[in-house]
Amino acid sequence: MSSASRVRVGAAAVAAVIALSQAVDAQHDAYRTVENHFKLPDGRKIGSTAGITIDRDGTSVWVFERCGGQNCVGSNVAPILKFDGSGTLVKSFGAGMFVRPHGIHVDRDGNVWVSDGEGPDGKDPRRDGKGHQVFKLSPDGKVTASIPDPDQMNGSQEGIAADAKGAIYGSLTGGMALKRYVRN
């Protein structure tokens, strides 16, 4: 190969590497943070947020957050929030129902499924009667079903999903398990 050919091949290789690196860099720059997209009422702050999902409309966002803090123990703040595509809060519900909100899923019928990752601890009576459950709520917040976890000492309900046939799937931490719930 002549030296001119080697120069052309080398130049082509350098150009290919530069083009490839620019394409990779462009992929890294494909997204940017939109600050303050989600708008809450004055005085309301977002808490630790373990659950987020998209509504069946394809643009609204459902959030399951921890009542403006690290949990919802003793709080009357609604932790289930629905924002429209512009980030405006359009709906909230679930006040007083949860200990430690975690997973959220919207099924094909628009029902909102949520999991509560902690429950009674024998010390704080505000936790009694709550926690270690999966709830099915209508899009307006009415509880239509619940699945208490009889195995609550071996982990906490975290993730939640529903399939097209109505089976519910849950992931647990601590006990490191996956569960499938079906109707009786």
Side-chain angles (χ1 to χ4, degrees):
M1 181 184 290
S2 71
S3 81
S5 294
R6 280 186 284 219
V7 169
R8 281 192 296 266
V9 168
V14 168
V17 167
I18 290 171
L20 183 59
S21 68
Q22 288 174 343
V24 169
D25 283 343
Q27 289 174 354
H28 290 292
D29 295 336
Y31 294 91
R32 64 179 171 75
T33 301
V34 178
E35 299 293 340
N36 303 310
H37 176 74
F38 297 100
K39 300 157 196 76
L40 292 166
D42 287 342
R44 173 70 159 92
K45 64 179 185 170
I46 199 78
S48 178
T49 305
I52 189 166
T53 193
I54 302 299
D55 189 73
R56 67 184 184 151
D57 69 12
T59 59
S60 297
V61 177
W62 286 92
V63 173
F64 196 28
E65 63 91 31
R66 297 184 180 145
C67 301
Q70 293 298 317
N71 63 51
C72 290
V73 176
S75 175
N76 288 321
V77 171
I80 301 171
L81 311 173
K82 181 180 181 183
F83 296 91
D84 67 15
S86 71
T88 300
L89 181 66
V90 295
K91 194 176 295 187
S92 63
F93 50 82
M97 290 179 59
F98 305 98
V99 174
R100 186 173 174 264
H102 210 89
I104 187 168
H105 171 75
V106 176
D107 69 20
R108 68 182 183 164
D109 296 323
N111 297 302
V112 181
W113 292 84
V114 293
S115 60
D116 195 352
E118 288 182 11
D121 63 3
K123 299 173 188 172
D124 189 342
R126 298 175 301 170
R127 292 173 169 254
D128 292 348
K130 300 176 188 175
H132 294 295
Q133 295 187 70
V134 172
F135 289 97
K136 176 184 179 185
L137 301 104
S138 71
D140 292 319
K142 180 182 176 196
V143 176
T144 59
S146 65
I147 305 169
D149 185 6
D151 194 28
Q152 58 185 272
M153 300 321 287
N154 289 323
S156 61
Q157 292 284 354
E158 302 292 340
I160 189 76
D163 69 19
K165 295 180 181 178
I168 308 306
Y169 299 87
S171 62
L172 284 79
T173 59
M176 295 178 275
L178 297 173
K179 291 192 177 185
R180 182 173 189 249
Y181 306 99
V182 295
R183 293 184 188 272
N184 289 331

